[in-house]
Amino acid sequence: MVKKSEREAFFNENKLPDGLTSFYAAYNSETGSYHFNSMRDYFLDVLDKVRKGEQITDDDTDFSLVPVAVSLETVEGYNSSTVYVTKVQPYLTRPTMTQLATDRAVVSFIYTTQEID
């Protein structure tokens, strides 16, 4: 998922998801959904604009959900492993199409709070 205004530049410049204007999530065929878990910086940026009294525009909220081919690299650690996205390109291997029922789409924002003494 990438900001609509930055979609062309994202692919032309071979960018990687940055958690602010672009995000990656694998499709879950069991639930028929995507789980974007790295949007914290994006929401903090929007919240900062609201607190400063700036107007939230369509550019801040319009995103494109684009099918992509992703190259991943797994780095093994002592007790865990980390998976890094190393390349993202439009999925061109075969035709893809999605019918998104926006009138039935559900967008859930799940968050927690933390108090530090």
Side-chain angles (χ1 to χ4, degrees):
M1 183 169 65
V2 63
K3 273 190 169 182
K4 188 176 179 180
S5 63
E6 300 184 22
R7 182 179 56 219
E8 295 301 320
F10 180 82
F11 293 110
N12 290 341
E13 298 171 15
N14 297 316
K15 293 182 179 181
L16 296 175
D18 62 8
L20 192 57
T21 62
S22 54
F23 311 90
Y24 167 72
Y27 178 72
N28 183 330
S29 60
E30 290 182 20
T31 62
S33 64
Y34 296 90
H35 181 198
F36 295 93
N37 60 1
S38 62
M39 295 185 76
R40 182 178 192 276
D41 290 336
Y42 165 73
F43 288 114
L44 288 175
D45 186 54
V46 171
L47 180 61
D48 188 47
K49 286 184 176 185
V50 169
R51 287 182 174 159
K52 290 178 180 177
E54 296 178 20
Q55 185 73 24
I56 303 301
T57 66
D58 288 345
D59 184 54
D60 295 313
T61 59
D62 286 354
F63 286 87
S64 293
L65 189 59
V66 181
V68 294
V70 178
S71 297
L72 303 172
E73 181 179 329
T74 302
V75 177
E76 299 291 336
Y78 183 69
N79 288 327
S80 64
S81 61
T82 304
V83 178
Y84 295 98
V85 175
T86 58
K87 186 176 183 180
V88 177
Q89 59 192 37
Y91 188 80
L92 302 174
T93 305
R94 60 182 173 208
T96 60
M97 180 181 283
T98 300
Q99 181 177 357
L100 185 60
T102 56
D103 59 330
R104 294 182 307 189
V106 176
V107 177
S108 301
F109 298 108
I110 301 169
Y111 65 93
T112 62
T113 60
Q114 178 181 9
E115 292 183 23
I116 301 175
D117 296 327

